[in-house]
């Protein structure tokens, strides 16, 4: 089965998860925040596993919510069925379904990915060797780096971020955003909306970021993982990373210099 066929399966799975999430979101209104978050996460995981089993897929699932072998487990599916759970639970329209298939246990083995923007219904996709798309429109980054004073940067400073390391970057950049979904933030780089996404806390999970990093790479973007240029990543639930993702090498270099 070629990468385009693998991508078709991921696309269908992502839309099924989105349908389940929108239904769970309606039905859980009025409940406490923590209860809503649990309901949403459980609905997303159940919808994903149900579709995979009915589709005849053969995958080893590494998900935020757990692990499972479906069929003979030929490929590895790294998944966060709901990235941005808190956003969705409180009504902030920035959350995504994030799915990636790999031939190996590493990011370098990626063959197909999707990050589906749940509120907007926009699909960011990639297939190995075939490129990346926003819905059915190819996306390819070619533009030169903007000055940092004009760049739009996403930066995660929650949960005890190393502020001393970030101070010079925050002072230099004038347009900073913290959006609450790493998967969608990185995809906004791939389509040219954001210039970079920075998360140097060392707590970002592979399940949240792998699909988006594959999409960014296929779109011509670049990144540093755990301070390694275009570094690899083991695709496990407990894998943690720091990432600087950018639209081009020059933007990546400028950010790296300010983080010294």
């Amino acid at each position: 089965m070629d990468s385009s066929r693998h991508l078709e399966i991921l696309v269908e799975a992502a839309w099924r998860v989105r349908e389940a999430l929108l239904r769970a979101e309606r039905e859980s209104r009025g409940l406490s925040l923590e209860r809503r978050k649990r309901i949403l996460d459980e609905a997303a995981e159940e919808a994903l596993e149900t579709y995979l089993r009915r589709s005849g897929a053969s995958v080893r699932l590494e998900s935020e919510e757990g692990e499972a072998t479906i069929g003979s487990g030929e490929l590895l599916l790294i998944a966060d069925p709901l990235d941005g759970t808190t956003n969705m639970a409180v009504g902030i329209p920035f959350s995504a379904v994030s799915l990636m298939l790999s031939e190996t246990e590493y990011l370098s083995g990626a063959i197909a990915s999707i990050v589906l923007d749940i509120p907007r219904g926009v699909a960011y996709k990639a297939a190995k060797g075939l490129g990346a798309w926003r819905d059915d429109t190819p996306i390819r980054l070619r533009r030169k780096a903007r000055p940092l004073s004009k760049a739009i940067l996403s930066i995660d400073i929650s949960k005890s971020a190393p502020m001393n390391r970030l101070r010079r970057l925050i002072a230099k950049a004038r347009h900073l955003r913290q959006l609450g979904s790493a998967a969608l933030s990185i995809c906004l780089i791939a389509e040219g909306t954001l210039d970079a996404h920075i998360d140097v806390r060392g707590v970002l999970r592979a399940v949240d970021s792998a699909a988006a990093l594959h999409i960014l790479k296929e779109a011509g973007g670049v990144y540093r993982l755990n301070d390694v240029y275009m570094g690899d990543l083991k695709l496990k639930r407990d894998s943690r990373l720091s990432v600087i993702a950018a639209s081009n090498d020059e933007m990546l270099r400028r950010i790296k210099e300010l983080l010294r």
Side-chain angles (χ1 to χ4, degrees):
M1 190 184 297
D2 61 22
S3 57
S4 61
R5 176 57 184 146
H6 288 305
L7 181 57
E8 289 176 12
I9 293 172
L10 290 189
V11 169
E12 182 63 26
W15 282 101
R16 297 290 184 91
V17 172
R18 179 179 184 262
E19 290 172 6
L21 279 167
L22 293 177
R23 184 166 56 251
E25 190 276 332
R26 291 192 299 269
E27 293 173 354
S28 64
R29 288 173 186 169
L31 299 178
S32 69
L33 174 59
E34 291 306 314
R35 180 62 179 147
R36 291 198 84 195
K37 289 168 65 174
R38 284 196 300 273
I39 288 172
L40 291 170
D41 281 333
E42 289 168 3
E45 185 73 19
E46 181 181 356
L48 176 60
E49 289 198 32
T50 298
Y51 170 75
L52 291 172
R53 294 184 190 282
R54 290 177 178 173
S55 71
S58 178
V59 298
R60 289 170 289 122
L61 176 62
E62 286 274 345
S63 172
E64 179 188 15
E65 301 302 316
E67 303 172 7
T69 299
I70 297 170
S72 57
E74 295 175 11
L75 297 173
L76 177 62
L77 174 57
I78 187 83
D80 188 350
L82 175 54
D83 185 39
T85 303
T86 300
N87 279 355
M88 189 170 193
V90 301
I92 296 172
F94 200 79
S95 56
V97 182
S98 176
L99 309 174
M100 190 193 84
L101 279 172
S102 178
E103 296 176 309
T104 72
E105 293 185 350
Y106 292 87
L107 177 61
S108 56
I111 55 175
S113 296
I114 182 169
V115 173
L116 177 60
D117 182 323
I118 295 167
R120 295 188 299 160
V122 173
Y124 300 94
K125 303 174 288 186
K128 183 180 180 180
L130 298 177
W133 302 266
R134 183 187 190 272
D135 291 330
D136 295 323
T137 302
I139 47 179
R140 185 71 185 174
L141 290 164
R142 291 189 178 90
R143 60 184 173 82
K144 295 180 180 179
R146 289 187 282 198
L148 275 175
S149 60
K150 296 182 179 180
I152 312 297
L153 308 182
S154 168
I155 183 169
D156 200 322
I157 56 173
S158 63
K159 299 177 183 176
S160 303
M163 295 306 296
N164 286 338
R165 189 179 178 198
L166 293 166
R167 186 169 288 112
R168 287 204 303 159
L169 174 63
I170 292 171
K172 185 76 172 178
R174 301 183 63 182
H175 305 290
L176 297 175
R177 303 292 183 268
Q178 180 167 315
L179 301 172
S181 166
L184 267 186
S185 296
I186 294 170
C187 286
L188 291 181
I189 305 170
E191 73 170 9
T193 299
L194 291 177
D195 293 279
H197 175 72
I198 302 100
D199 186 344
V200 294
R201 301 170 300 154
V203 299
L204 180 62
R205 298 168 301 181
V207 293
D208 299 327
S209 55
L213 289 169
H214 179 219
I215 293 165
L216 179 64
K217 181 180 179 181
E218 289 287 341
V222 292
Y223 50 78
R224 297 185 71 91
L225 295 186
N226 297 327
D227 214 24
V228 177
Y229 180 76
M230 303 302 285
D232 213 348
L233 175 67
K234 191 160 187 179
L235 302 174
K236 298 290 290 183
R237 291 177 61 209
D238 57 357
S239 292
R240 296 291 189 271
L241 63 142
S242 293
V243 63
I244 308 169
S247 54
N248 52 59
D249 283 309
E250 179 61 20
M251 180 60 66
L252 190 68
R253 182 190 64 78
R254 291 175 186 171
I255 293 170
K256 172 64 177 173
E257 287 180 351
L258 287 170
L259 292 177
R260 286 177 181 171

